[in-house]
Amino acid sequence: MGKLHVQNVTKSYSQNVILSDVSFTVHDGEFVSILGPSGSGKSTLFHVIGGIRLPDSGEIYLDDRLINGTKGAISYTPQSPSLLPWRSLLKNVLLGAEIAGGGDEADAMEMIERAGLKGYENAYPHELSGGMQQRAAFIRSLLSPQSVICLDEPFSALDEFTRLAMQKWLLSIWEEDKRSILFVTHSIEEAIYLSDRVIVLTNKPATVKKEITIPFSRPRKEAILLSEEFLQWKKLIYQELGE
Amino acid sequence: MKGIMEKGWKPVVVLLLLFGAWELSSKLFDIPDWLLPAPSQIGKTGIEAWPMYQHHLISTITLSIMGFLIGASIGILVAVCLHLIRFVREAFFPLMILSQNIPIIVLAPLLVIWFGFGMLPKIIIITLVCFFPIAVAALDGFRQTDRDLIHYMQMAGANKRQIFRKLEIPSALPSLFSGLKISATYSVMGAVISEWLGANEGIGVYMTLASSSFRTDRVFVAIFFVMVLSLLFFSLIAFIEKRLLNWKSEGN
C-alpha cells in the first residue's frame, strides 16, 4: 500500500503564509505531479510531508496513519542528487535502506543494472555524470522501504537532452515498479508526460488551484509529446497557471 | 613520481644555491665557526657526532609521538563534545581560545613546579600545543557539512546518531587532516621546548648544551633534525590522508 493524503495543510513562517489549505491525495501506485512556479512553497510542502517541519494546521496521512512530524515515512529524492562523496555508487544507493535498518546488496546490484549503471557500482559520485548521479539518487529511493517516493524537481539541473532521456528512463523504471510517486516540477511538459494526475498550485500562498487527470495510456511513448492532444493539455494548464 | 621530478627541481635548485652562497661566504669572509659554521662543517659534525646525539634524537621522537597522539585524541574528543553538545560549545569555546593565549614559555616553568621534571609536564605542553589546531579544524569540518546532505538525511529519517556517524564524521575528515598535519609539525617544536625546561635527554637538551658551549655547528645539527622530524611527521600524516580519503577527486 502507498496512499498519501494531505488534508487542509497550512504553514506560515512568521507573517508569510506559504501553504494555505492544501489538500490532495496520491493513490496507491499513482504518479502525481505538483506544478507551480519556482518559490511557490513546493519545498515547504515537502518539508511538511517529510516530517522535518510541522504544519500549523492540517493533517498528513500515509495509509490512514497520521504522519505529521514523522521523519522517514516517505522516501525522498532531492533536487541535487545528494550522494555522499566518500561512498561508492553501490554504497550510496543502499544508504536509504541502511538508515531504515536494512539493505540488500543483491537487490541493489540488480537495480543498478536495470538503471544502466552496471560497471559503475564502485565509482565515486564525482566520477559520474549529472544524469547518472540523479539516476543513482532515484534508485536509492526505490531501494528504500517506504511506499511513497517524493521527487523534488529532480531533473531541473540537467540539460534538455539529458532531461528527456531521464524522463523516459524514469517512466520505464516506474512502470515496472509502480510505487506511488509525488513529483514536483515547474515544467508543464514534464508534468503531462509523466503523470496520471497534475495538481496546479497557485503562487503565494500556495493552494491547490486545479487537479487535472491526464488520460494518456501507459506505457507512454515519447511520440505523445508531439501529439495534438498533448498540446491541448498543455494549453489548458498554461491557462490555469496564467490566470 | 614524474610530477615530483618536474615540479620538485625548483626548490632544490634554490636550496643548493643558498647553501653554495653560505659555504662560499663563510670561506671568503673567514667567519669563525662559533659564529656561523659552514654547511660542510655542520654536515661533518652531523656525521661524526651521531653516536653522541642518537639517544637524544630517539628520546625526542618518542616524546613527540606520545604528545601528538595524546594531543590529537584530546583535540578530537574536544571537537566532538563541542559539536554535539550545544551547551558545552557555548560555555567552553572561548576558554579553548584563551588556552592558546597563555605563553608556553611562561607556563612551562609553572608546570615543572607543579609536576616536576618527569614526562607529565612535557606531555602537557605538547598536548596543549597540539590539541588546538586539531579541535578547531575538526569543529569547522563538522560545521561545514553540506546542508543538502543533512537535509536529505533528515528527510530519509536518519536520527542524530546516524547523521553524525554516516555524514558528519566523514565530511569532517579532510578538515581534520589539515589540523593533524599542522599539529604533527608543532609536536616536534613542543617537544623541544619542553626539553629546554629540564630534561636528561632530547634534542632540546642537546641544543642547550651545544649553544652554551658555543658549539654552533651542533646547534645547527639539532635545528636540521627538528626540521627533518617535522617534515617526516607531516609527510606521514599526508600519506595516511591520501590513503584514507581516496574518494576525493584529483582536482581538489
Side-chain angles (χ1 to χ4, degrees):
Chain A
M1 277 294 281
K3 182 183 162 206
L4 182 73
H5 181 58
V6 174
Q7 193 176 311
N8 307 111
V9 164
T10 296
K11 175 78 188 168
S12 46
Y13 289 115
S14 55
Q15 295 304 313
N16 297 326
V17 183
I18 310 288
L19 304 173
S20 163
D21 203 23
V22 174
S23 301
F24 62 87
T25 304
V26 181
H27 297 289
D28 191 30
E30 197 182 21
F31 197 127
V32 175
S33 284
I34 291 192
L35 189 63
S38 287
S40 61
K42 291 174 291 186
S43 303
T44 307
L45 182 64
F46 269 173
H47 290 171
V48 172
I49 295 174
I52 59 177
R53 295 271 184 280
L54 278 173
D56 298 337
S57 64
E59 290 88 37
I60 299 134
Y61 294 98
L62 180 68
D63 298 331
D64 303 318
R65 188 166 61 87
L66 187 71
I67 57 161
N68 284 21
T70 310
K71 287 175 200 163
I74 51 111
S75 164
Y76 174 63
T77 304
Q79 195 167 359
S80 65
S82 298
L83 303 172
L84 304 186
W86 49 86
R87 284 187 175 222
S88 65
L89 176 76
L90 178 64
K91 294 267 182 237
N92 255 305
V93 299
L94 282 167
L95 179 65
E98 200 181 298
I99 289 169
D104 179 42
E105 267 192 34
D107 280 358
M109 285 303 284
E110 198 202 316
M111 197 60 97
I112 286 172
E113 193 173 343
R114 265 172 64 195
L117 293 170
K118 194 174 160 57
Y120 290 97
E121 55 271 7
N122 292 319
Y124 290 109
H126 73 89
E127 296 167 318
L128 304 171
S129 71
M132 290 161 108
Q133 290 184 18
Q134 204 52 265
R135 264 184 276 173
F138 184 65
I139 313 177
R140 180 176 60 187
S141 285
L142 282 177
L143 289 168
S144 304
Q146 294 90 344
S147 55
V148 176
I149 298 178
C150 291
L151 293 101
D152 186 2
E153 302 185 6
F155 306 146
S156 61
L158 302 174
D159 63 82
E160 190 72 34
F161 298 100
T162 316
R163 184 157 55 231
L164 192 63
M166 289 292 293
Q167 289 165 353
K168 277 202 294 192
W169 173 84
L170 177 65
L171 278 183
S172 69
I173 293 276
W174 175 74
E175 274 158 3
E176 282 176 44
D177 203 275
K178 284 286 177 188
R179 207 81 71 89
S180 317
I181 287 190
L182 181 63
F183 189 96
V184 163
T185 176
H186 50 229
S187 156
I188 300 174
E189 282 188 29
E190 186 167 81
I192 302 171
Y193 179 43
L194 298 175
S195 333
D196 297 315
R197 214 143 41 86
V198 177
I199 294 167
V200 181
L201 288 187
T202 54
N203 201 3
K204 278 182 187 168
T207 160
V208 176
K209 187 166 192 191
K210 183 108 181 163
E211 276 195 43
I212 298 156
T213 306
I214 308 290
F216 290 112
S217 64
R218 297 206 185 260
R220 290 203 178 149
K221 297 278 182 298
E222 198 185 343
I224 63 163
L225 282 167
L226 299 169
S227 68
E228 192 62 34
E229 201 185 346
F230 193 90
L231 203 63
Q232 291 299 329
W233 288 111
K234 198 173 160 183
K235 265 188 194 161
L236 180 79
I237 294 176
Y238 196 78
Q239 278 162 3
E240 284 297 332
L241 282 172
E243 275 167 27
Chain B
M1 203 59 209
K2 206 178 153 205
I4 296 171
M5 292 292 261
E6 267 170 25
K7 280 187 209 154
W9 65 271
K10 285 175 205 161
V12 170
V13 167
V14 172
L15 265 177
L16 284 178
L17 278 175
L18 215 67
F19 279 130
W22 180 356
E23 182 82 41
L24 212 68
S25 50
S26 60
K27 290 269 179 330
L28 218 61
F29 303 113
D30 216 10
I31 301 170
D33 273 355
W34 60 267
L35 196 61
L36 183 68
S40 59
Q41 172 67 30
I42 297 167
K44 219 176 109 208
T45 313
I47 294 162
E48 277 172 1
W50 170 256
M52 240 179 72
Y53 63 75
Q54 180 204 9
H55 66 112
H56 289 301
L57 200 62
I58 289 166
S59 158
T60 303
I61 292 174
T62 326
L63 190 62
S64 309
I65 291 176
M66 268 179 67
F68 174 72
L69 289 179
I70 294 172
S73 316
I74 291 179
I76 292 169
L77 203 73
V78 165
V80 170
C81 285
L82 261 60
H83 173 68
L84 289 183
I85 312 166
R86 202 181 151 160
F87 171 78
V88 176
R89 178 168 62 235
E90 284 164 1
F92 285 94
F93 194 67
L95 222 67
M96 194 171 99
I97 297 167
L98 276 182
S99 79
Q100 294 306 296
N101 295 334
I102 308 168
I104 293 287
I105 298 293
V106 178
L107 187 69
L110 278 179
L111 288 174
V112 171
I113 295 174
W114 294 333
F115 303 110
F117 287 97
M119 275 301 249
L120 189 61
K122 298 185 181 65
I123 297 286
I124 291 177
I125 287 179
I126 304 172
T127 302
L128 213 59
V129 174
C130 282
F131 98 97
F132 186 73
I134 294 171
V136 170
L139 210 54
D140 266 350
F142 287 136
R143 269 215 311 257
Q144 277 163 12
T145 306
D146 192 322
R147 304 311 305 176
D148 280 352
L149 294 180
I150 295 182
H151 183 219
Y152 168 75
M153 293 291 273
Q154 285 174 335
M155 288 290 273
N159 56 34
K160 229 184 145 181
R161 210 175 122 228
Q162 284 174 320
I163 292 180
F164 183 64
R165 280 195 31 215
K166 291 184 200 295
L167 177 60
E168 288 176 322
I169 290 182
S171 43
L173 279 184
S175 241
L176 173 67
F177 268 101
S178 305
L180 285 173
K181 278 188 279 190
I182 296 172
S183 287
T185 61
Y186 280 10
S187 71
V188 181
M189 221 173 56
V192 170
I193 292 176
S194 73
E195 284 161 356
W196 279 344
L197 311 172
N200 306 322
E201 50 181 3
I203 295 286
V205 176
Y206 181 71
M207 212 182 243
T208 333
L209 287 176
S211 78
S212 58
S213 56
F214 289 95
R215 287 300 301 262
T216 315
D217 50 344
R218 288 187 186 168
V219 177
F220 273 100
V221 170
I223 293 174
F224 173 76
F225 274 107
V226 169
M227 278 160 56
V228 167
L229 278 187
S230 296
L231 209 66
L232 217 63
F233 285 179
F234 184 92
S235 319
L236 192 69
I237 304 282
F239 176 75
I240 297 171
E241 177 186 23
K242 211 164 176 190
R243 272 300 177 79
L244 219 58
L245 306 183
N246 59 351
W247 49 270
K248 288 195 92 179
S249 53
E250 295 291 320
N252 26 345

